[in-house]
Amino acid sequence: MFTDLITLRETEPEDIRLLLDTAQSFKEILDRSVKKVPTLRGRQVVTLFYEASTRTRVSFENAAKIMSADTTSVAAATSSVQKGESLLDTVRNLRAMRIDCLVMRHPQSGSAHLVAQALDIPVVNAGDGMHEHPTQALLDMLTIRQHKGKLEALTVAIVGDIMHSRVARSNLWGLTKMGAKVRFVGPATLLPRDVQRLPVEVYTDLRRGLEGADVVMALRLQQERMERGLLPSLREYSQRWGINARALEVTKPDCIVMHPGPMNRGVEIADDVADGGRSVILEQVTNGVAVRMAVLYHLLGGEAAA
Amino acid sequence: MRTIFRRAHVCDPSQGVDKVADVVVDEGKVLAIVEDSTPYDVGGCEVIDCSGLVLTPGLIDLHVHLREPGYEYKEDVQSGTEAAVVGGFSAVCCMPNTDPPLDEPAVIRGLLKRAEAVGLARVYPIAAITKGLQPEGLAEMAALKEAGAVAVTDDAYPLQLAEVLRRGMEYAAQLGLTVMTHCEDKSLTRDACMNEGLTATIMGLRGMPPVAEEIQVARNCLMSLYTGCRLHILHVSTAGAVRIIRWAKEMGAPVTAETCPHYFALTDEACLGYNTNAKMNPPLRTQADCDAIIQGLLDGTIDAIATDHAPHASHEKAQEFALAPFGIVGLETAFALSYTELVSTGRMSLSQLVDKMSCQPAKVLALPGGTLAPGSPADIALFDLRRKWTVRASEFRSKSRNTPFEGWELQGKPVLTMVGGRVLYREGM
Ligand SMILES: [Zn+2]
């Protein structure tokens, strides 16, 4: 059994299945009028975010609170790090305050790994640089499973800025471990080197990449990619790689559309698709709470608290 | 005082010597290599029994960061040259990226004074090619040479403008100074922290493409051909660079090159787990690159093995991978790593290895040493090649511990180092 959740690449398929099953059973608690169970009473969960992300932070905190854990959120600007204190010193200080679990978001790949090695409490990676974002992938997988009844043999096309996407990386490992086929689709300048050597099919052509897909996942595109010369213009991007109704014509008829949020409407995803019948984007958000409950439960509560 | 090394396996590629013999040292110089040293053994000689040991010219490292002045918490002349003699090195060339940098005669003279006071391995300063290691503006190379600099380099601050390189090479050539270059097109390595490729893609780290190194290797070789200036390419890490240097040599460019043990002993997979002790620049590459590096060493394309000994304090390496500094220590593991990877695997002969670590480095910069020819300085290393040992960074003489080889079992241990006739290191014998 795992003691931290840092990457899906290093998480066993059984553990992924367990987390998804647990999250599925926890979902029912979210529909109650009193959303509170005593499972993690007295436990202290700290969310340490070096990057702003209201959605992910609130999702983790709500998950902890529903299970009666106490939460503290630390918004550490990266500038405070530049003032001198290293990441390791910061988290060692938090640990010295006897916290029980650390959820962290950080702009550097590998930061959660570094912290997990240094601390003797569970560490949850809530996104580290361009590396992984395991709970996002788990909630994506849960959402897909709810709609398709399975993950095996599905074709999931992940479209956009693959290079910088921790969501794409975590989904790749998670989905392929559960038997799905993954495609990466995007402009060549946003595909990382040697990506074709990963267990994935790679396309620069959107139409071919979406052909026969069961799931289309659009990724967030940042303006900054243009400034760094990776793209000629957002217009050309949206015309070539934006997910709109026409692009979806080649997918399976029951194809669902996902997005990890926040969305740039009109760039990577068209309004009518984002709000349309195939969109499961808001379900992803709900599932996020359930998945994070499952993660905290297994890391902190275990069998004894069940 | 006279010292006699008795019954050593003497390996001196500079004279084609590879046999069991006695080596007689007198007044700081090699006096003779003889079958029987009895006639030399008169009046209070120190006799060192070398049965079963290999005796070579002291190793010479073309690429070391001693960190003094300015970063003595990482390393200083004392600890760095101590690490050198423990590693079998009788001489080290030190790089100019100190604070202040080695760009003024007074700094060079100060460093040489320190090295003399410490009295361990010989120290040869390499001066900056530009003032303040800035993108342009030549350093006063004539005065720097007079003060004791043996070459000039841009190491760690690779010249981006071909024009500056051209003028630097023209100016250095007239003074007979070799230009050493770290080859990296910085426009291709912005914010990058390891090799670009599958491993970086999995880890979500920005990679340095091999072509960033190769572009500058090609440019610098062409400039050497054009200006006639001797060029030494520092720490070659890619297969493409090896091919370009091979071509440049065929074209008659006065080019030499070095690599480091980690570029044939490790691949970029050593970075997995965000191991900052495997973070260096140029970065660790792929197995195909390692194989090409070894081939380059064997066919003479790569002249020398250096260490790029780059000490950093533990707290500096205990950071997020992208933020940690580049570099690993190497003086105390270089010989054993090379012996283990190249000689004990049968890819290279012992004398080829000694050539790469002693004779050729001496030739590249026309330094004393690198030979046991009678009359040459008594810079000598003794190795126990049967000895297996485990790398324990905690036992390093270097002030820093940043090695990716912790726990590796290696074969071949330096057991004695002599510099100018004085035994400065002796262990287990
Ligand atoms: Zn360098």
Side-chain angles (χ1 to χ4, degrees), chain B residues 179-184 210 213-225 230-260 263 282 289 292-304 356 364:
Chain B
V179 168
M180 301 169 125
T181 60
H182 168 124
C183 297
E184 177 186 347
E213 176 173 339
E214 290 151 5
I215 282 172
Q216 281 219 345
V217 169
R219 181 198 72 171
N220 298 2
C221 285
L222 289 169
M223 199 64 85
S224 152
L225 206 51
R230 280 203 312 270
L231 170 69
H232 178 73
I233 310 269
L234 298 167
H235 44 45
V236 172
S237 77
T238 81
V242 174
R243 291 174 66 189
I244 295 162
I245 295 163
R246 193 174 288 136
W247 170 84
K249 286 185 166 186
E250 276 167 27
M251 295 283 284
V255 173
T256 54
E258 69 182 33
T259 191
C260 309
Y263 296 122
D289 295 299
I293 297 277
I294 292 173
Q295 192 49 48
L297 282 165
L298 290 174
D299 67 19
T301 303
I302 300 179
D303 302 86
K356 298 293 181 194
V364 166

Side-chain angles (χ1 to χ4, degrees), chain B residues 66-76 97-101:
Chain B
L66 290 178
R67 303 297 188 208
E68 185 174 344
Y71 303 102
E72 287 85 351
Y73 69 98
K74 299 175 194 253
E75 195 83 288
D76 58 22
N97 54 325
T98 48
D99 183 18

Side-chain angles (χ1 to χ4, degrees), chain B residues 63 65 95 154-157 181-183 234-235 281-282 308:
Chain B
H63 194 159
H65 297 271
M95 293 288 142
D154 60 4
D155 187 33
Y157 299 91
T181 60
H182 168 124
C183 297
L234 298 167
H235 44 45
N281 186 5
D308 192 5

Side-chain angles (χ1 to χ4, degrees), chain B residues 129-286:
Chain B
I129 191 165
T130 57
K131 193 140 207 59
L133 291 160
Q134 292 299 304
E136 35 194 320
L138 298 184
E140 292 175 351
M141 289 181 215
L144 287 162
K145 187 186 177 186
E146 228 169 73
V150 298
V152 288
T153 187
D154 60 4
D155 187 33
Y157 299 91
L159 297 177
Q160 298 302 296
L161 296 174
E163 166 73 358
V164 180
L165 178 71
R166 172 191 176 165
R167 299 310 176 196
M169 289 186 101
E170 285 173 344
Y171 202 84
Q174 69 178 356
L175 301 169
L177 283 171
T178 298
V179 168
M180 301 169 125
T181 60
H182 168 124
C183 297
E184 177 186 347
D185 183 321
K186 291 270 203 183
S187 71
L188 291 168
T189 60
R190 198 164 40 155
D191 299 331
C193 55
M194 65 175 292
N195 182 47
E196 184 174 270
L198 182 64
T199 311
T201 291
I202 289 170
M203 293 171 73
L205 291 171
R206 282 186 212 282
M208 303 184 174
V211 73
E213 176 173 339
E214 290 151 5
I215 282 172
Q216 281 219 345
V217 169
R219 181 198 72 171
N220 298 2
C221 285
L222 289 169
M223 199 64 85
S224 152
L225 206 51
Y226 190 67
T227 61
C229 181
R230 280 203 312 270
L231 170 69
H232 178 73
I233 310 269
L234 298 167
H235 44 45
V236 172
S237 77
T238 81
V242 174
R243 291 174 66 189
I244 295 162
I245 295 163
R246 193 174 288 136
W247 170 84
K249 286 185 166 186
E250 276 167 27
M251 295 283 284
V255 173
T256 54
E258 69 182 33
T259 191
C260 309
H262 39 273
Y263 296 122
F264 53 77
L266 290 174
T267 69
D268 60 3
E269 290 178 22
C271 299
L272 285 170
Y274 299 93
N275 177 13
T276 55
N277 281 330
K279 178 178 174 180
M280 56 204 78
N281 186 5
L284 297 171
R285 309 283 188 183
T286 66

